[in-house]
Amino acid sequence: MEIKVLKNILGANEQIARKNRELLEKNGVFAVNIMASPGAGKTSLVLQTIAAVKGKVKVGVIEGDIASKIDAETVGKAGVPVVQINTGGECHLDANMIQNALANLPLKDIDLLLIENVGNLVCPAEFNLGEHKKVLVASVPEGDDKPYKYPAMFTAADAVVLNKTDLLPYVKFNLEAFTKAVNGINARAGVFPLSCTTGEGVPAWTKWLQKQMRPASSPRRG
Amino acid sequence: MEIKVLKNILGANEQIARKNRELLEKNGVFAVNIMASPGAGKTSLVLQTIAAVKGKVKVGVIEGDIASKIDAETVGKAGVPVVQINTGGECHLDANMIQNALANLPLKDIDLLLIENVGNLVCPAEFNLGEHKKVLVASVPEGDDKPYKYPAMFTAADAVVLNKTDLLPYVKFNLEAFTKAVNGINARAGVFPLSCTTGEGVPAWTKWLQKQMRPASSPRRG
């Protein structure tokens, strides 16, 4: 019986996710679901991405947090439309929350929608939001063993950003071992080492991102 | 109806947690539930704690991870009894998992049981395990705004360890603001800044921990 309830919840989420995707496609919006541990640098990556594509790509942002509007206020200063979702305890964003957020964004004026999920390396992997790509942000201080410990999230990702490479001299982290672990779990996800503090490595990430967006004028793929 | 199911789950968890607590008390074991984001340094804190109390306190460890036995292997090298729980996807430890683990530990030979929860700053807060104290491990690279974003976890904690203080010179982190945020949410939880890499600050943490254990010979409090 418990399993039945869970099936219904996921079924409903999938249905709403599909509607979100249709609405995004209709408005020519490419959406990215950004997932990570707390403090890995999701908001910093959003800010770096906005700065890197400025003048070329019109960005909109959905900020997901259990509580507070700290991130939306930070992102709002970058001059892009932003909506803050407070999940009120929920450990992940779901498609219904995104449906509500989309209704509050000027979709016609957005090419790229960055959705910052709740900081959690487990639960968000299970909930599609209607996004085109899922991106996992790992960070150097978290350690190079995370792909083994959180395999569902690393399996779900279309790309893995490794943030805080500026801290590599100060912590034990084997970049080769990390990349090998990611590739072993998920052969399709590229790894993008970068530092949102120094900006190093950001161009490779935004180049990949814009390449994903290219089929936008023609039919899009998931 | 969904809410009813959830109530039943939590009810069952509470019942098993109480049984775990009784079993721990009966065997004179003081149990600590260590919760944190992925990569905050839970295992490092376990290792530092084992080293600091060596010869004075007999330690046992339960390692909780979604997958892998990396942490149990690491801790096992420290020469203490250890059980690895693989939750197989579950985002938190629950009392039932601990009940099974306790059956596989030499409780008579353990004074202090360190339970390392799944790396997750949201879900573990909701599940009592039968532990005497809950400890949250935050870390400097995660940023000083985490208490505002993950209030349930910071509210549940009896103590907050702030790990990786050796990285303070390299990242933006306001220790005073962090401590103030913790105190604002949870007046009873002390903050213990320390570095598991350098060992700085560890004695204050283990002193607090051993003080909590003292009523062990007399009736224990929760």
Side-chain angles (χ1 to χ4, degrees), chain A residues 1-2 5 9 37-39 65-68 70-71 89 91 118-123 141-142 145-146 148-151 164 166-167 170-171, chain B residues 1-2 5 9 37-39 65-68 70-71 89 91 118-123 141-142 145-146 148-151 164 166-167 170-171:
Chain A
M1 189 176 166
E2 277 162 37
V5 174
I9 290 170
S37 300
D65 277 299
I66 289 170
S68 91
I70 298 171
D71 289 347
C91 52
V118 175
N120 184 327
L121 212 49
V122 189
C123 315
E142 291 171 56
D145 60 355
K146 292 302 158 288
Y148 298 113
K149 292 183 177 172
Y150 304 89
K164 308 194 190 181
D166 54 296
L167 296 178
Y170 312 114
V171 298
Chain B
M1 188 179 171
E2 277 163 35
V5 174
I9 291 170
S37 299
D65 277 300
I66 289 171
S68 92
I70 299 171
D71 289 347
C91 52
V118 175
N120 185 327
L121 212 48
V122 188
C123 315
E142 293 172 53
D145 60 354
K146 291 302 158 288
Y148 298 114
K149 291 183 177 172
Y150 304 89
K164 309 194 189 179
D166 54 295
L167 296 178
Y170 312 115
V171 298

Short mmCIF file of all heavy atoms in Angstrom, two decimals, chain A residues 1-2 5 9 37-39 65-68 70-71 89 91 118-123 141-142 145-146 148-151 164 166-167 170-171, chain B residues 1-2 5 9 37-39 65-68 70-71 89 91 118-123 141-142 145-146 148-151 164 166-167 170-171:
data_model
loop_
_atom_site.label_atom_id
_atom_site.label_comp_id
_atom_site.label_asym_id
_atom_site.label_seq_id
_atom_site.Cartn_x
_atom_site.Cartn_y
_atom_site.Cartn_z
N MET A 1 0.83 -1.22 0.00
CA MET A 1 0.00 0.00 0.00
C MET A 1 0.86 1.26 0.00
O MET A 1 0.63 2.20 -0.75
CB MET A 1 -0.90 0.02 1.22
CG MET A 1 -1.92 1.17 1.13
SD MET A 1 -3.04 1.12 2.52
CE MET A 1 -3.79 2.74 2.37
N GLU A 2 1.91 1.24 0.84
CA GLU A 2 2.83 2.39 0.82
C GLU A 2 3.42 2.59 -0.57
O GLU A 2 3.56 3.70 -1.05
CB GLU A 2 3.96 2.18 1.80
CG GLU A 2 3.61 2.56 3.22
CD GLU A 2 4.56 1.95 4.22
OE1 GLU A 2 5.73 1.87 3.90
OE2 GLU A 2 4.10 1.54 5.29
N VAL A 5 1.11 4.38 -2.92
CA VAL A 5 1.05 5.83 -2.69
C VAL A 5 2.24 6.51 -3.37
O VAL A 5 2.09 7.49 -4.09
CB VAL A 5 1.06 6.15 -1.17
CG1 VAL A 5 1.16 7.64 -0.94
CG2 VAL A 5 -0.22 5.61 -0.53
N ILE A 9 2.36 9.41 -6.39
CA ILE A 9 3.04 10.70 -6.28
C ILE A 9 3.97 10.89 -7.46
O ILE A 9 3.97 11.91 -8.12
CB ILE A 9 3.85 10.78 -4.96
CG1 ILE A 9 2.90 10.87 -3.77
CG2 ILE A 9 4.76 11.99 -4.96
CD1 ILE A 9 3.58 10.70 -2.43
N SER A 37 25.01 19.26 -3.21
CA SER A 37 25.03 19.33 -1.76
C SER A 37 24.84 20.79 -1.33
O SER A 37 25.11 21.69 -2.10
CB SER A 37 26.40 18.90 -1.21
OG SER A 37 26.72 17.60 -1.56
N PRO A 38 24.45 20.99 -0.07
CA PRO A 38 24.44 22.36 0.45
C PRO A 38 25.84 22.98 0.36
O PRO A 38 26.82 22.33 0.72
CB PRO A 38 24.04 22.18 1.92
CG PRO A 38 23.28 20.89 1.96
CD PRO A 38 23.93 20.03 0.93
N GLY A 39 25.92 24.18 -0.14
CA GLY A 39 27.19 24.90 -0.13
C GLY A 39 28.20 24.48 -1.18
O GLY A 39 29.36 24.87 -1.11
N ASP A 65 14.79 26.72 -2.10
CA ASP A 65 15.37 26.55 -0.76
C ASP A 65 14.26 26.13 0.19
O ASP A 65 13.09 26.44 -0.02
CB ASP A 65 15.97 27.88 -0.24
CG ASP A 65 17.37 28.11 -0.77
OD1 ASP A 65 18.24 27.28 -0.47
OD2 ASP A 65 17.58 29.11 -1.48
N ILE A 66 14.63 25.44 1.25
CA ILE A 66 13.66 25.07 2.27
C ILE A 66 13.11 26.32 2.93
O ILE A 66 11.91 26.45 3.15
CB ILE A 66 14.34 24.15 3.30
CG1 ILE A 66 14.60 22.81 2.65
CG2 ILE A 66 13.48 24.00 4.55
CD1 ILE A 66 15.46 21.89 3.46
N ALA A 67 14.01 27.25 3.21
CA ALA A 67 13.61 28.51 3.83
C ALA A 67 14.54 29.61 3.34
O ALA A 67 15.57 29.33 2.73
CB ALA A 67 13.67 28.39 5.35
N SER A 68 14.19 30.83 3.58
CA SER A 68 14.95 32.05 3.27
C SER A 68 14.82 32.48 1.81
O SER A 68 14.39 31.70 0.96
CB SER A 68 16.44 31.89 3.61
OG SER A 68 17.18 31.41 2.50
N ILE A 70 17.58 34.36 0.58
CA ILE A 70 18.94 34.87 0.43
C ILE A 70 19.41 34.75 -1.02
O ILE A 70 19.93 35.71 -1.60
CB ILE A 70 19.92 34.06 1.34
CG1 ILE A 70 19.53 34.23 2.81
CG2 ILE A 70 21.36 34.49 1.12
CD1 ILE A 70 20.29 33.30 3.76
N ASP A 71 19.21 33.57 -1.63
CA ASP A 71 19.73 33.33 -2.97
C ASP A 71 19.01 34.16 -4.02
O ASP A 71 19.63 34.69 -4.94
CB ASP A 71 19.64 31.84 -3.32
CG ASP A 71 20.64 31.01 -2.51
OD1 ASP A 71 21.55 31.61 -1.90
OD2 ASP A 71 20.52 29.78 -2.52
N GLY A 89 10.30 22.83 4.13
CA GLY A 89 10.67 21.56 4.75
C GLY A 89 10.96 20.47 3.74
O GLY A 89 11.74 19.56 4.01
N CYS A 91 12.57 18.34 0.90
CA CYS A 91 13.99 18.19 0.65
C CYS A 91 14.36 18.26 -0.84
O CYS A 91 15.50 17.98 -1.20
CB CYS A 91 14.44 16.85 1.21
SG CYS A 91 13.40 15.49 0.62
N VAL A 118 17.01 22.43 -4.15
CA VAL A 118 17.38 22.42 -2.73
C VAL A 118 18.72 21.69 -2.58
O VAL A 118 18.99 20.73 -3.29
CB VAL A 118 16.29 21.67 -1.91
CG1 VAL A 118 16.70 21.53 -0.45
CG2 VAL A 118 14.95 22.36 -2.03
N GLY A 119 19.57 22.16 -1.69
CA GLY A 119 20.87 21.53 -1.45
C GLY A 119 20.70 20.14 -0.86
O GLY A 119 20.35 20.00 0.32
N ASN A 120 20.92 19.12 -1.68
CA ASN A 120 20.65 17.74 -1.26
C ASN A 120 21.18 16.83 -2.36
O ASN A 120 20.78 16.96 -3.52
CB ASN A 120 19.13 17.57 -1.08
CG ASN A 120 18.73 16.20 -0.54
OD1 ASN A 120 19.38 15.19 -0.83
ND2 ASN A 120 17.67 16.17 0.24
N LEU A 121 22.06 15.92 -2.00
CA LEU A 121 22.70 15.06 -3.01
C LEU A 121 21.96 13.72 -3.16
O LEU A 121 22.49 12.77 -3.74
CB LEU A 121 24.16 14.84 -2.62
CG LEU A 121 25.19 14.66 -3.74
CD1 LEU A 121 25.05 15.73 -4.79
CD2 LEU A 121 26.61 14.63 -3.20
N VAL A 122 20.73 13.64 -2.64
CA VAL A 122 20.00 12.39 -2.71
C VAL A 122 18.64 12.58 -3.39
O VAL A 122 18.42 12.14 -4.52
CB VAL A 122 19.78 11.78 -1.30
CG1 VAL A 122 19.21 10.38 -1.41
CG2 VAL A 122 21.09 11.75 -0.51
N CYS A 123 17.73 13.24 -2.71
CA CYS A 123 16.32 13.23 -3.09
C CYS A 123 15.99 13.92 -4.42
O CYS A 123 15.13 13.43 -5.15
CB CYS A 123 15.49 13.83 -1.96
SG CYS A 123 15.97 13.21 -0.32
N PRO A 141 36.11 20.52 -1.77
CA PRO A 141 36.20 20.17 -0.34
C PRO A 141 35.32 19.00 0.06
O PRO A 141 35.52 18.42 1.13
CB PRO A 141 35.75 21.45 0.38
CG PRO A 141 35.78 22.52 -0.64
CD PRO A 141 35.62 21.89 -1.98
N GLU A 142 34.33 18.64 -0.74
CA GLU A 142 33.46 17.49 -0.41
C GLU A 142 34.20 16.16 -0.53
O GLU A 142 33.74 15.15 0.01
CB GLU A 142 32.25 17.46 -1.34
CG GLU A 142 31.27 18.59 -1.11
CD GLU A 142 30.20 18.64 -2.19
OE1 GLU A 142 29.52 17.62 -2.39
OE2 GLU A 142 30.07 19.69 -2.85
N ASP A 145 35.33 11.02 -3.28
CA ASP A 145 34.61 9.73 -3.19
C ASP A 145 33.10 9.85 -3.35
O ASP A 145 32.38 8.86 -3.25
CB ASP A 145 34.95 9.03 -1.86
CG ASP A 145 34.55 9.87 -0.65
OD1 ASP A 145 34.10 11.03 -0.83
OD2 ASP A 145 34.69 9.38 0.48
N LYS A 146 32.61 11.04 -3.59
CA LYS A 146 31.16 11.26 -3.60
C LYS A 146 30.41 10.47 -4.68
O LYS A 146 29.29 10.00 -4.43
CB LYS A 146 30.84 12.76 -3.70
CG LYS A 146 31.22 13.54 -2.45
CD LYS A 146 30.53 13.01 -1.22
CE LYS A 146 31.24 13.35 0.09
NZ LYS A 146 32.50 12.64 0.35
N TYR A 148 30.74 7.46 -5.53
CA TYR A 148 30.47 6.12 -5.00
C TYR A 148 29.38 6.15 -3.94
O TYR A 148 28.63 5.19 -3.78
CB TYR A 148 31.75 5.53 -4.39
CG TYR A 148 32.86 5.35 -5.39
CD1 TYR A 148 34.02 6.12 -5.31
CD2 TYR A 148 32.73 4.44 -6.43
CE1 TYR A 148 35.05 5.97 -6.24
CE2 TYR A 148 33.75 4.29 -7.36
CZ TYR A 148 34.90 5.05 -7.26
OH TYR A 148 35.89 4.91 -8.19
N LYS A 149 29.31 7.26 -3.20
CA LYS A 149 28.37 7.33 -2.08
C LYS A 149 26.98 7.82 -2.49
O LYS A 149 26.01 7.57 -1.78
CB LYS A 149 28.95 8.23 -0.99
CG LYS A 149 30.17 7.63 -0.30
CD LYS A 149 30.63 8.54 0.80
CE LYS A 149 31.79 7.95 1.56
NZ LYS A 149 32.34 8.94 2.52
N TYR A 150 26.90 8.58 -3.57
CA TYR A 150 25.62 9.14 -4.00
C TYR A 150 25.38 8.79 -5.48
O TYR A 150 25.24 9.67 -6.33
CB TYR A 150 25.61 10.66 -3.76
CG TYR A 150 25.88 10.97 -2.31
CD1 TYR A 150 27.18 11.16 -1.84
CD2 TYR A 150 24.85 10.99 -1.37
CE1 TYR A 150 27.45 11.37 -0.50
CE2 TYR A 150 25.10 11.20 -0.03
CZ TYR A 150 26.40 11.40 0.40
OH TYR A 150 26.65 11.60 1.73
N PRO A 151 25.34 7.49 -5.79
CA PRO A 151 25.33 7.06 -7.19
C PRO A 151 24.09 7.51 -7.98
O PRO A 151 24.20 7.79 -9.17
CB PRO A 151 25.42 5.54 -7.10
CG PRO A 151 24.98 5.19 -5.72
CD PRO A 151 25.36 6.34 -4.86
N LYS A 164 35.09 24.93 -7.04
CA LYS A 164 36.09 25.23 -6.00
C LYS A 164 37.46 24.59 -6.29
O LYS A 164 38.15 24.16 -5.36
CB LYS A 164 35.58 24.80 -4.61
CG LYS A 164 34.19 25.36 -4.29
CD LYS A 164 33.82 25.24 -2.83
CE LYS A 164 32.35 25.58 -2.62
NZ LYS A 164 31.91 25.52 -1.24
N ASP A 166 39.94 26.16 -6.96
CA ASP A 166 40.95 27.03 -6.33
C ASP A 166 41.39 26.48 -4.97
O ASP A 166 42.41 26.89 -4.43
CB ASP A 166 40.40 28.46 -6.18
CG ASP A 166 39.07 28.50 -5.44
OD1 ASP A 166 38.07 27.95 -5.97
OD2 ASP A 166 39.01 29.06 -4.32
N LEU A 167 40.61 25.55 -4.40
CA LEU A 167 40.99 24.97 -3.10
C LEU A 167 41.80 23.68 -3.23
O LEU A 167 42.20 23.09 -2.23
CB LEU A 167 39.73 24.71 -2.25
CG LEU A 167 38.93 25.97 -1.84
CD1 LEU A 167 37.70 25.57 -1.04
CD2 LEU A 167 39.80 26.93 -1.02
N TYR A 170 44.84 23.03 -1.09
CA TYR A 170 44.69 23.02 0.37
C TYR A 170 43.95 21.81 0.91
O TYR A 170 43.85 21.64 2.12
CB TYR A 170 43.96 24.30 0.82
CG TYR A 170 44.53 25.55 0.22
CD1 TYR A 170 43.78 26.32 -0.68
CD2 TYR A 170 45.84 25.96 0.50
CE1 TYR A 170 44.32 27.45 -1.25
CE2 TYR A 170 46.37 27.09 -0.07
CZ TYR A 170 45.61 27.83 -0.95
OH TYR A 170 46.14 28.95 -1.52
N VAL A 171 43.38 20.98 0.04
CA VAL A 171 42.65 19.80 0.52
C VAL A 171 43.08 18.56 -0.26
O VAL A 171 43.63 18.66 -1.34
CB VAL A 171 41.10 19.98 0.39
CG1 VAL A 171 40.61 21.13 1.23
CG2 VAL A 171 40.69 20.18 -1.06
N MET B 1 -5.03 11.21 3.41
CA MET B 1 -4.62 9.80 3.42
C MET B 1 -3.11 9.65 3.38
O MET B 1 -2.52 8.93 4.16
CB MET B 1 -5.26 9.07 2.25
CG MET B 1 -5.01 7.57 2.33
SD MET B 1 -5.79 6.74 0.94
CE MET B 1 -5.13 5.11 1.16
N GLU B 2 -2.49 10.43 2.49
CA GLU B 2 -1.02 10.42 2.46
C GLU B 2 -0.44 10.77 3.83
O GLU B 2 0.51 10.18 4.30
CB GLU B 2 -0.50 11.43 1.45
CG GLU B 2 -0.49 10.90 0.03
CD GLU B 2 -0.38 12.01 -0.97
OE1 GLU B 2 0.32 12.99 -0.68
OE2 GLU B 2 -1.01 11.91 -2.04
N VAL B 5 -0.40 7.89 6.23
CA VAL B 5 0.70 6.95 5.99
C VAL B 5 1.97 7.47 6.64
O VAL B 5 2.65 6.76 7.36
CB VAL B 5 0.90 6.71 4.48
CG1 VAL B 5 2.14 5.86 4.25
CG2 VAL B 5 -0.32 6.05 3.89
N ILE B 9 4.40 5.83 9.60
CA ILE B 9 5.84 5.58 9.47
C ILE B 9 6.59 6.20 10.63
O ILE B 9 7.39 5.56 11.29
CB ILE B 9 6.38 6.16 8.13
CG1 ILE B 9 5.82 5.36 6.96
CG2 ILE B 9 7.90 6.12 8.11
CD1 ILE B 9 6.08 5.98 5.62
N SER B 37 25.97 17.59 5.71
CA SER B 37 25.99 17.54 4.25
C SER B 37 27.02 16.51 3.80
O SER B 37 27.93 16.18 4.55
CB SER B 37 26.46 18.88 3.68
OG SER B 37 25.62 19.91 4.04
N PRO B 38 26.90 16.03 2.56
CA PRO B 38 27.97 15.18 2.02
C PRO B 38 29.31 15.91 2.06
O PRO B 38 29.40 17.08 1.68
CB PRO B 38 27.54 14.96 0.56
CG PRO B 38 26.05 15.14 0.56
CD PRO B 38 25.79 16.22 1.58
N GLY B 39 30.32 15.23 2.58
CA GLY B 39 31.66 15.80 2.51
C GLY B 39 31.99 16.87 3.54
O GLY B 39 33.00 17.55 3.42
N ASP B 65 25.54 4.95 4.76
CA ASP B 65 25.73 5.48 3.41
C ASP B 65 24.69 4.87 2.49
O ASP B 65 24.22 3.77 2.73
CB ASP B 65 27.13 5.14 2.87
CG ASP B 65 28.20 6.10 3.35
OD1 ASP B 65 28.07 7.29 3.06
OD2 ASP B 65 29.14 5.64 4.03
N ILE B 66 24.36 5.56 1.45
CA ILE B 66 23.43 5.02 0.46
C ILE B 66 24.06 3.80 -0.20
O ILE B 66 23.43 2.78 -0.39
CB ILE B 66 23.11 6.11 -0.59
CG1 ILE B 66 22.22 7.15 0.08
CG2 ILE B 66 22.44 5.51 -1.80
CD1 ILE B 66 22.00 8.37 -0.72
N ALA B 67 25.34 3.92 -0.52
CA ALA B 67 26.08 2.82 -1.15
C ALA B 67 27.53 2.89 -0.70
O ALA B 67 27.95 3.88 -0.12
CB ALA B 67 25.98 2.92 -2.67
N SER B 68 28.27 1.83 -0.95
CA SER B 68 29.71 1.72 -0.66
C SER B 68 30.00 1.38 0.79
O SER B 68 29.16 1.52 1.65
CB SER B 68 30.48 2.98 -1.05
OG SER B 68 30.59 3.89 0.05
N ILE B 70 33.21 2.42 1.89
CA ILE B 70 34.45 3.19 2.00
C ILE B 70 34.69 3.64 3.44
O ILE B 70 35.77 3.47 4.00
CB ILE B 70 34.39 4.43 1.07
CG1 ILE B 70 34.24 4.01 -0.39
CG2 ILE B 70 35.63 5.31 1.26
CD1 ILE B 70 33.95 5.17 -1.35
N ASP B 71 33.65 4.21 4.07
CA ASP B 71 33.82 4.79 5.40
C ASP B 71 34.06 3.72 6.46
O ASP B 71 34.90 3.90 7.34
CB ASP B 71 32.60 5.63 5.78
CG ASP B 71 32.53 6.92 4.97
OD1 ASP B 71 33.55 7.26 4.32
OD2 ASP B 71 31.49 7.58 4.99
N GLY B 89 19.54 3.70 -1.29
CA GLY B 89 18.74 4.75 -1.91
C GLY B 89 18.09 5.67 -0.89
O GLY B 89 17.84 6.84 -1.16
N CYS B 91 17.49 8.28 1.95
CA CYS B 91 18.24 9.51 2.15
C CYS B 91 18.58 9.77 3.61
O CYS B 91 19.05 10.85 3.96
CB CYS B 91 17.44 10.67 1.59
SG CYS B 91 15.76 10.70 2.24
N VAL B 118 23.60 9.35 6.81
CA VAL B 118 23.77 9.64 5.38
C VAL B 118 24.02 11.14 5.21
O VAL B 118 23.44 11.95 5.93
CB VAL B 118 22.49 9.23 4.60
CG1 VAL B 118 22.58 9.61 3.14
CG2 VAL B 118 22.23 7.74 4.75
N GLY B 119 24.89 11.50 4.29
CA GLY B 119 25.17 12.91 4.03
C GLY B 119 23.96 13.61 3.46
O GLY B 119 23.62 13.41 2.30
N ASN B 120 23.31 14.43 4.29
CA ASN B 120 22.04 15.05 3.89
C ASN B 120 21.68 16.05 4.98
O ASN B 120 21.57 15.67 6.15
CB ASN B 120 20.97 13.96 3.76
CG ASN B 120 19.64 14.48 3.24
OD1 ASN B 120 19.25 15.61 3.51
ND2 ASN B 120 18.94 13.65 2.49
N LEU B 121 21.49 17.30 4.61
CA LEU B 121 21.24 18.34 5.61
C LEU B 121 19.74 18.59 5.80
O LEU B 121 19.34 19.61 6.37
CB LEU B 121 21.95 19.65 5.20
CG LEU B 121 22.47 20.56 6.31
CD1 LEU B 121 23.25 19.82 7.35
CD2 LEU B 121 23.31 21.69 5.72
N VAL B 122 18.92 17.66 5.32
CA VAL B 122 17.47 17.85 5.43
C VAL B 122 16.81 16.67 6.14
O VAL B 122 16.36 16.78 7.28
CB VAL B 122 16.83 18.03 4.03
CG1 VAL B 122 15.37 18.42 4.19
CG2 VAL B 122 17.57 19.07 3.20
N CYS B 123 16.76 15.54 5.48
CA CYS B 123 15.89 14.43 5.89
C CYS B 123 16.27 13.77 7.22
O CYS B 123 15.37 13.38 7.98
CB CYS B 123 15.81 13.40 4.78
SG CYS B 123 15.58 14.15 3.14
N PRO B 141 33.74 25.55 3.94
CA PRO B 141 33.48 25.82 2.52
C PRO B 141 32.00 25.84 2.15
O PRO B 141 31.64 26.34 1.09
CB PRO B 141 34.18 24.65 1.80
CG PRO B 141 35.09 24.03 2.80
CD PRO B 141 34.51 24.31 4.14
N GLU B 142 31.14 25.29 2.99
CA GLU B 142 29.69 25.31 2.69
C GLU B 142 29.09 26.72 2.82
O GLU B 142 28.01 26.97 2.29
CB GLU B 142 28.94 24.38 3.64
CG GLU B 142 29.25 22.91 3.45
CD GLU B 142 28.63 22.06 4.55
OE1 GLU B 142 27.41 22.16 4.79
OE2 GLU B 142 29.37 21.31 5.20
N ASP B 145 25.82 30.81 5.60
CA ASP B 145 24.37 31.05 5.55
C ASP B 145 23.53 29.78 5.74
O ASP B 145 22.30 29.82 5.68
CB ASP B 145 23.99 31.72 4.22
CG ASP B 145 24.37 30.87 3.01
OD1 ASP B 145 25.02 29.82 3.20
OD2 ASP B 145 24.03 31.27 1.88
N LYS B 146 24.18 28.65 5.99
CA LYS B 146 23.45 27.38 6.03
C LYS B 146 22.38 27.30 7.12
O LYS B 146 21.33 26.70 6.90
CB LYS B 146 24.43 26.20 6.12
CG LYS B 146 25.25 25.99 4.85
CD LYS B 146 24.37 25.76 3.64
CE LYS B 146 25.06 26.06 2.31
NZ LYS B 146 25.30 27.50 2.03
N TYR B 148 20.27 29.41 8.02
CA TYR B 148 19.03 30.02 7.52
C TYR B 148 18.34 29.13 6.49
O TYR B 148 17.13 29.14 6.35
CB TYR B 148 19.33 31.38 6.88
CG TYR B 148 19.90 32.38 7.86
CD1 TYR B 148 21.20 32.84 7.73
CD2 TYR B 148 19.14 32.85 8.93
CE1 TYR B 148 21.74 33.75 8.63
CE2 TYR B 148 19.66 33.76 9.84
CZ TYR B 148 20.96 34.20 9.69
OH TYR B 148 21.49 35.09 10.59
N LYS B 149 19.16 28.37 5.74
CA LYS B 149 18.59 27.58 4.64
C LYS B 149 18.15 26.19 5.06
O LYS B 149 17.32 25.57 4.39
CB LYS B 149 19.64 27.46 3.52
CG LYS B 149 19.89 28.80 2.82
CD LYS B 149 20.86 28.58 1.69
CE LYS B 149 21.09 29.86 0.91
NZ LYS B 149 22.19 29.69 -0.07
N TYR B 150 18.72 25.67 6.15
CA TYR B 150 18.39 24.31 6.62
C TYR B 150 18.01 24.34 8.10
O TYR B 150 18.64 23.70 8.93
CB TYR B 150 19.57 23.37 6.35
CG TYR B 150 19.95 23.37 4.88
CD1 TYR B 150 20.87 24.28 4.39
CD2 TYR B 150 19.31 22.52 3.99
CE1 TYR B 150 21.17 24.34 3.02
CE2 TYR B 150 19.59 22.57 2.64
CZ TYR B 150 20.53 23.48 2.16
OH TYR B 150 20.80 23.53 0.81
N PRO B 151 16.97 25.13 8.42
CA PRO B 151 16.66 25.40 9.84
C PRO B 151 16.27 24.15 10.64
O PRO B 151 16.58 24.07 11.83
CB PRO B 151 15.51 26.41 9.77
CG PRO B 151 14.93 26.27 8.40
CD PRO B 151 16.06 25.85 7.51
N LYS B 164 36.74 22.11 9.19
CA LYS B 164 37.56 22.71 8.11
C LYS B 164 37.89 24.18 8.36
O LYS B 164 37.92 24.99 7.43
CB LYS B 164 36.87 22.54 6.75
CG LYS B 164 36.46 21.10 6.46
CD LYS B 164 36.11 20.85 5.02
CE LYS B 164 35.50 19.46 4.85
NZ LYS B 164 35.09 19.15 3.49
N ASP B 166 40.67 25.18 8.96
CA ASP B 166 41.95 25.44 8.29
C ASP B 166 41.76 26.10 6.93
O ASP B 166 42.70 26.66 6.37
CB ASP B 166 42.76 24.14 8.14
CG ASP B 166 41.95 23.05 7.43
OD1 ASP B 166 40.94 22.60 8.01
OD2 ASP B 166 42.31 22.67 6.30
N LEU B 167 40.54 26.05 6.39
CA LEU B 167 40.29 26.68 5.09
C LEU B 167 39.77 28.12 5.22
O LEU B 167 39.51 28.78 4.21
CB LEU B 167 39.29 25.84 4.28
CG LEU B 167 39.78 24.44 3.88
CD1 LEU B 167 38.69 23.69 3.12
CD2 LEU B 167 41.05 24.52 3.02
N TYR B 170 41.06 30.88 3.00
CA TYR B 170 40.91 30.74 1.55
C TYR B 170 39.48 30.91 1.04
O TYR B 170 39.24 30.89 -0.16
CB TYR B 170 41.46 29.38 1.10
CG TYR B 170 42.81 29.07 1.68
CD1 TYR B 170 42.99 28.03 2.56
CD2 TYR B 170 43.92 29.87 1.35
CE1 TYR B 170 44.24 27.76 3.11
CE2 TYR B 170 45.16 29.61 1.90
CZ TYR B 170 45.32 28.55 2.78
OH TYR B 170 46.55 28.30 3.32
N VAL B 171 38.51 30.98 1.94
CA VAL B 171 37.11 31.11 1.49
C VAL B 171 36.42 32.23 2.27
O VAL B 171 36.87 32.63 3.33
CB VAL B 171 36.32 29.79 1.68
CG1 VAL B 171 36.91 28.68 0.84
CG2 VAL B 171 36.26 29.38 3.13
#
